[in-house]
Amino acid sequence: MKRLFLLEDDLSLLNGLSFAVKKQGYEIDTARTALEAEGMWADGKYDLVILDVSLPDGSGFDFCRKIRRTSKVPIIFLTAADEETDIIMGLDIGADDYITKPFKLAIFLSRINALLRRSDNFNQAETELTSGGITIRLLKGEVYKNEKK
């Protein structure tokens, strides 16, 4: 079962989206603040991330940058920030899609399904190379010899 992560500060929207996503057969974890999201991201592996831009304690843009330092997980921005510069920034820093509010739920769910379908292919790419006791973790920029950094 695919696992999604939603960072959204609007409680009613968060609850509605969680219900809709679960109805599609996905698991979903949610956070309402950047701080809460930081802790959850460190602990979990997700197949897709949905981010709001404006948060009470930070920015979804900053969280997107953090994710991109270590992961190729698909990211969708779902936000009221609909200025052209916001959309360009979101896509340029690593989002795979950018949806502005208000939005149609059926289209939103179809975009999730499409991204998950495509991500099955690019998640198969090697992110770790191992040979002769040497391991290179490409996304983290780390090298280990006999399991020592």
Side-chain angles (χ1 to χ4, degrees):
M1 181 179 293
K2 299 288 184 180
R3 194 164 162 212
L4 283 54
F5 180 73
L6 171 62
L7 175 55
E8 169 63 57
D9 64 328
D10 181 329
L11 186 57
S12 61
L13 181 58
L14 183 130
N15 289 336
L17 290 176
S18 294
F19 176 80
V21 165
K22 286 177 184 174
K23 197 172 177 184
Q24 292 290 308
Y26 300 121
E27 291 180 21
I28 187 163
D29 292 333
T30 61
R32 294 185 63 200
T33 66
L35 182 62
E36 185 181 0
E38 293 271 342
M40 293 176 75
W41 177 255
D43 295 340
K45 171 154 177 46
Y46 297 97
D47 298 295
L48 186 134
V49 176
I50 305 157
L51 301 174
D52 190 3
V53 170
S54 300
L55 301 167
D57 63 342
S59 164
F61 290 145
D62 293 335
F63 196 71
C64 179
R65 287 184 192 99
K66 176 183 174 51
I67 290 170
R68 281 294 173 249
R69 285 194 288 263
T70 60
S71 176
K72 296 187 300 182
V73 66
I75 298 172
I76 299 175
F77 275 106
L78 180 64
T79 179
D82 62 355
E83 294 293 324
E84 183 177 357
T85 55
D86 293 325
I87 297 168
I88 291 168
M89 182 186 301
L91 295 170
D92 284 352
I93 64 173
D96 298 284
D97 203 349
Y98 195 104
I99 302 169
T100 58
K101 300 172 187 173
F103 62 97
K104 295 186 185 321
L105 182 60
I107 294 171
F108 170 70
L109 294 172
S110 289
R111 287 180 179 206
I112 288 174
N113 293 333
L115 267 176
L116 287 171
R117 245 188 342 267
R118 285 194 306 274
S119 72
D120 283 342
N121 295 331
F122 61 77
N123 280 339
Q124 294 173 2
E126 287 293 323
T127 60
E128 188 172 289
L129 304 172
T130 303
S131 177
I134 295 175
T135 301
I136 302 171
R137 294 190 178 142
L138 300 171
L139 290 176
K140 293 186 175 182
E142 298 173 343
V143 178
Y144 295 82
K145 182 173 183 182
N146 298 323
E147 299 183 23
K148 291 184 180 179
K149 196 170 180 177

